[in-house]
Amino acid sequence: MSEPAAAYREQVAVVVGGYDRIGRLVCEPLAARGVTVAITGPSAQQAALYCRELTDLSITALPYVVDPDDAAMVHRLVADVTHDLGAPDILIGLLPADGPPYPVATAMGKAMAEADRPGRIVLLVPHAEAPRAAVWALRTSSGTLRANVLSAAATASAEQIAGAALMLLGRDADRLAGAHIEVHGAGLPD
């Protein structure tokens, strides 16, 4: 796996859907590198339980609730994360409900751009949605903000998907913007 694009100290990552298996595989390596993690999704209880687990490991993690279809809730999420933890640097979108027009990712991207610091957005989307999502990611990317898209074949493991998401945060992906990475299980597609 590649090294981080920048020192992770004092960085804030928002992981939408961060309490499921893939989210845990993304959050833990980020947190181990000193990233403060905001875990969000539609279930306050699941986010809070996972944050408690991370806090017990001396990792800074706070739970948030968001319904991507509720614009006021999305804007409140951005404001709350920024107030509680600082401007977001990383958004990993693992929640299929945050589909086009990607309200959570769009709002977080604006917050990243306004903070005038390097930012990364990685969205996990269904394969059929990937071309449209990649266009969104390319249009969203600007200056120091890089947005990219992952889709996964049914044969891809949670570890492979999380590894691809983390790869898109590494130095090797510094110049990628609007890319679609397709994650497969064993072997390459025919």
Side-chain angles (χ1 to χ4, degrees):
M1 196 173 308
S2 63
E3 286 302 307
Y8 276 129
R9 299 287 172 226
E10 300 178 22
Q11 284 194 314
V12 175
V14 178
V15 184
V16 181
Y19 45 77
D20 71 3
R21 174 96 174 115
I22 297 168
R24 289 169 176 258
L25 291 167
V26 169
C27 289
E28 290 170 15
L30 289 174
R33 292 182 176 123
V35 176
T36 299
V37 181
I39 297 169
T40 186
S43 170
Q45 183 178 7
Q46 286 181 313
L49 287 173
Y50 184 46
C51 285
R52 179 178 290 161
E53 288 177 35
L54 290 174
T55 301
D56 289 346
L57 299 172
S58 299
I59 294 169
T60 304
L62 293 177
Y64 298 88
V65 177
V66 68
D67 175 355
D69 294 326
D70 183 334
M73 190 178 259
V74 169
H75 291 289
R76 190 169 48 252
L77 170 67
V78 174
D80 289 349
V81 167
T82 302
H83 176 266
D84 297 345
L85 304 173
D89 302 288
I90 297 168
L91 172 78
I92 306 287
L94 303 173
L95 190 64
D98 188 28
Y102 314 106
V104 176
T106 299
M108 287 292 171
K110 287 179 184 176
M112 289 178 198
E114 288 170 5
D116 199 31
R117 295 191 324 217
R120 300 284 178 97
I121 297 173
V122 177
L123 296 180
L124 177 62
V125 301
H127 183 71
E129 188 181 309
R132 188 164 128 179
V135 169
W136 173 89
L138 186 59
R139 289 180 180 156
T140 299
S141 297
S142 63
T144 59
L145 178 61
R146 300 285 182 259
N148 292 290
V149 174
L150 291 175
S151 66
T155 55
S157 69
E159 290 81 2
Q160 291 166 324
I161 297 166
L166 291 167
M167 182 270 311
L168 286 170
L169 302 178
R171 284 190 189 136
D172 294 341
D174 275 351
R175 295 178 189 240
L176 282 180
H180 168 213
I181 307 296
E182 189 170 339
V183 183
H184 291 272
L188 297 174
D190 294 332

